[in-house]
Amino acid sequence: MKMLIVYIAFLLFGLYELFASFNHQLFEANLLMISNLVVIICLIFARFNVHKAEQGSLMKVHMDIEDIHQVTLERIAYNAATYIQIALSLSFTATLVGFLLLRDTQPVIVLWSGILLLISFVSLFPSEKIVSITNPNFKFPDPQSKNYEQEYFNQFDDGEKYVMLKGLYGLYSLVTLCLVLLAFALMFYSIFTDNSQLVSIIGIGILLLLIQVRYTSSLKPSKLE
């Protein structure tokens, strides 16, 4: 709850700064400030959902609606995770763009983007209460373990693994399609503007290569011993 209050204070301060300097700074600076405010709003929604899920986990409900209550708490917890992911992506983009465009003229705004990026990244790691809601039997494996990823994955039951794999396959297909479309878009952009995007296109090609090879290799059966 304390973090929620801190985020709200950040939001109010950011709104004050935006309205006070809106007409006296570059359009890019205003856009970056708005992006930072959106990140803070996402963090507020995330923290609110976390608090709501934690409070809901303390409630005692009738056995007849226990499953419904558990699913509701899980949905709330995953809503919080979604807001955090949005905040992380926006703050990451804002930090990079701000550093390129505003590091000399508006370094404070860029610094705020970096701070929000750090906060969003730290927020990715769920509390024990949230983990107990989404997966009551989950136990984090030893970080020093050589098989950490496998041990982590084995914490989930078959149903959860199916949902995860289905989501990851959909993500794999979406990312591949988007990268291909982006490469074509950059090609046409280079043609019509005479502003070469060759390095970006090559980078996308390398990324596609790594994704495809990694995915195909993961499907290859292991050697029999």
Side-chain angles (χ1 to χ4, degrees), residues 4-17:
L4 182 59
I5 296 175
V6 172
Y7 291 153
I8 293 175
F10 281 173
L11 178 63
L12 295 176
F13 175 75
L15 287 172
Y16 170 78
E17 288 292 321

Side-chain angles (χ1 to χ4, degrees), residues 70-112:
Q70 177 63 27
V71 171
T72 301
L73 292 180
E74 289 183 16
R75 289 177 60 85
I76 294 173
Y78 280 108
N79 283 340
T82 301
Y83 284 120
I84 292 172
Q85 293 286 358
I86 295 173
L88 180 64
S89 299
L90 287 177
S91 58
F92 174 75
T93 305
T95 301
L96 297 185
V97 173
F99 184 80
L100 288 174
L101 301 179
L102 302 172
R103 64 182 183 275
D104 295 325
T105 57
Q106 298 285 351
V108 176
I109 301 178
V110 181
L111 177 61
W112 270 106

Side-chain angles (χ1 to χ4, degrees), residues 101-159:
L101 301 179
L102 302 172
R103 64 182 183 275
D104 295 325
T105 57
Q106 298 285 351
V108 176
I109 301 178
V110 181
L111 177 61
W112 270 106
S113 297
I115 293 173
L116 291 174
L117 173 61
L118 180 61
I119 293 174
S120 300
F121 179 76
V122 172
S123 299
L124 280 177
F125 301 95
S127 65
E128 293 184 2
K129 290 184 179 180
I130 293 298
V131 173
S132 66
I133 292 172
T134 57
N135 196 328
N137 299 320
F138 186 88
K139 294 182 180 179
F140 282 100
D142 183 4
Q144 304 298 327
S145 175
K146 295 181 179 179
N147 300 317
Y148 177 83
E149 292 183 358
Q150 186 62 44
E151 292 176 7
Y152 182 91
F153 190 68
N154 289 338
Q155 295 288 329
F156 301 96
D157 59 33
D158 291 341

Side-chain angles (χ1 to χ4, degrees), residues 179-192:
L179 286 175
V180 170
L181 294 177
L182 179 59
F184 276 109
L186 290 174
M187 180 189 71
F188 286 114
Y189 176 82
S190 299
I191 293 173
F192 291 118

Side-chain angles (χ1 to χ4, degrees), residues 151-202:
E151 292 176 7
Y152 182 91
F153 190 68
N154 289 338
Q155 295 288 329
F156 301 96
D157 59 33
D158 291 341
E160 291 170 328
K161 289 178 181 178
Y162 172 77
V163 173
M164 292 171 62
L165 291 174
K166 183 179 178 181
L168 289 174
Y169 180 76
L171 178 62
Y172 157 77
S173 301
L174 177 63
V175 169
T176 301
L177 176 62
C178 289
L179 286 175
V180 170
L181 294 177
L182 179 59
F184 276 109
L186 290 174
M187 180 189 71
F188 286 114
Y189 176 82
S190 299
I191 293 173
F192 291 118
T193 64
D194 291 328
N195 186 3
S196 177
Q197 300 294 316
L198 182 61
V199 175
S200 300
I201 294 174
I202 292 174

